[in-house]
Amino acid sequence: MNKAREMTLIAALFVLSCLLKTTTSPATSAYSGAWMPASSVLYELRHLGVRALIRYDAEATGRASADFGNVSDAQPPPAAVLYPSCPEDIASLLRASCTHTSPFPVSARGCGHSTRGQASAPRGVVVDMLSLGCHASGSATRLSVSVDGRYVDAGGEQLWVDVLRAALAHGLTPRTWTDYLHLTVGGTLSNAGISGQAFRHGPQISNVQELDVITGLGEIVTCSKEKHADLFDAVLGGLGQFGVITRARIPLIQAPARARWVRLFYTGAAPLTGDQERLIGVDLGTAVSGLMDYVEGSVVLADQGQVGSWRSSFFSEADAARIAALAEEAGGVLYCLEGALYYGGAALAGESDVDKRLEVLLRELRYARGFAFVQDVSYAGFLDRVRDGELKLRAAGLWDVPHPWLNLFLPRSRVLDFAAGVFHGILRRDGGTGPMGPVLVYPMNRDRWDGNTSAVFPEEEEVFYTVGILRSAVSEGDLGRLEEQNEEILRFCEEAGIPCVQYLPYYAGQAGWEKKHFGPAKWARFVERKRKYDPKAILSRGQRIFTSPLA
């Protein structure tokens, strides 16, 4: 950015910061989202020539206030939205806030897939990260693959599905993913990024070589394990508290061509989790250790309905009927092991090898005989499979509804207690309506996670489980009931002495974060990093971790 343009932007942002100081209180129209800045202020900013960079209108701020969760938590809307053309625009915004006597909140927003307003900036400025990709061209591209270096440089606003396509064009792929690829690179790296490959390669935050980060001080820093390592570790899994990720360097490996997609049904939690742990125990030396490249699982309730069974297109109508009958026989609850075996491509064995691996799996695993289902699909098709489910739900009008999700990490020693109390108890006591959404359950190996990052996960045992209760409130009254049910699940864990950590966490205030999420030692480190990289608590106030400058 040239000096004149930067000074123009800073001047405009100074006016904005003054405006934010005078925003009406939560009891007035600002709280309801109806507030608009005075016409004189609008005129002054337009006169400064930043109309394309900053918007204050209700359409822009309303869109920036919305997210996938669609669960109102009564936070005030942003006062403005910044549409950056380059990282320096974001840095200028943060410097303008940081140097002002009343710093205003700033939050980076990608595709808006947060669930409780975490990407909001109450009475502040939301940065529309996707705007960065709209301005890139030629040598300034925001997504580039180094074939010789075996890495991809991706802007923080880039979607993982586009990272996949760019890498596959060279026969390469990142090692680990999220289940849903239409998320931004910066968004998942600010959390952890998990899927069925995390047992082998760790989460996405364990597969990053380098980052470009803009701190809460407005400083642009390139960091890695070798350079500015503390910032690098802080930002990964840092919930947007320490900086805005504008570039990530992701290592690549040789890509497979195909996936043998497998689903096996179980009538109990114990045989499912036992088999899952054998599969992810890559060093255990059992007959099935490491045979699958992808290992997940889900809970299937007999009365899930369309939202809960959107993956059912995997099965024929006759097979779906048999599965439903088996669920009834099992008391209304089935378990499904979902996995994949990759093959083909320049560096992997061919179809005959995958046939042998599958033969061993079907012989050794303890699923209900007659309930094994297999498909062959492309590697890219398997990784992007959730997109098909999304399109079906959109067509049925079931996508843009409230999503009161609850995601937990549990130690392996208590997963069966959790299954008995929640899957067979709380979720089945709800008037026969089922959970109205997928329920995922699968294990990961702790040694694939880096304890130096900001991500919080169980560290007491070598294996821990993720449980994702991914509900949709499709009818009137569902939202309140499902939120109450989430609270009941958390109370059950507390009363039963089941230690759990929220993934994609939400707490109403700092006390919950300190006591329930981080614990004393991790909280102290988190606060120290915040004091170092964002002492004015400008970034990501929508998370409700820090809402005022640190002393």
Side-chain angles (χ1 to χ4, degrees), residues 415-430:
V415 69
L416 294 182
D417 296 329
F418 184 90
V422 176
F423 302 151
H424 295 266
I426 294 172
L427 296 185
R428 295 294 295 159
R429 292 202 312 267
D430 199 24

Side-chain angles (χ1 to χ4, degrees), residues 63-81:
R63 186 167 57 246
S65 299
D67 63 17
F68 174 74
N70 202 14
V71 178
S72 173
D73 61 357
Q75 292 197 80
V81 182

Side-chain angles (χ1 to χ4, degrees), residues 24 263 291 372 377 395 405 462 474 503:
T24 49
R263 284 183 176 161
L291 281 187
V377 295
W405 285 9
E462 290 302 316
V474 299
Y503 178 60

Side-chain angles (χ1 to χ4, degrees), residues 15 29 32 36 84 89-90 103 114 143 168 249 298 320 361 363 371 391 398 401 418 431 464 466 476 524 532 543 545:
V15 175
S29 60
S32 65
M36 285 287 290
D89 287 350
I90 305 171
S114 57
L143 182 59
L168 285 179
R249 178 165 291 179
S298 59
L361 290 170
R363 182 179 68 243
F371 288 88
L391 296 177
L398 295 172
V401 298
F418 184 90
F464 66 91
T466 182
E476 185 176 355
K532 185 175 181 181
Q543 293 277 5
I545 305 175

Side-chain angles (χ1 to χ4, degrees), residues 196-245:
Q197 292 178 205
F199 79 90
R200 188 186 301 274
H201 299 294
Q204 289 182 313
I205 58 172
S206 293
N207 293 270
V208 183
Q209 292 178 344
E210 187 176 88
L211 295 172
D212 284 347
V213 174
I214 306 173
T215 71
L217 300 170
E219 299 172 340
I220 302 177
V221 182
T222 297
C223 54
S224 66
K225 280 292 189 182
E226 292 73 38
K227 184 178 181 180
H228 303 295
D230 184 62
L231 176 61
F232 182 76
D233 289 335
V235 169
L236 293 171
L239 303 173
Q241 293 299 306
F242 310 106
V244 177
I245 297 172

Side-chain angles (χ1 to χ4, degrees), residues 17 20-21 97 99-104:
S17 65
L20 295 174
K21 285 182 66 178
S97 178
T99 57
H100 197 264
T101 54
S102 297
F104 52 84

Side-chain angles (χ1 to χ4, degrees), residues 239 505 507 509-518 543-545:
L239 303 173
Y507 297 93
Q510 190 178 95
W513 287 99
E514 180 179 357
K515 296 177 181 179
K516 296 182 180 181
H517 189 71
F518 289 103
Q543 293 277 5
R544 299 174 184 261
I545 305 175

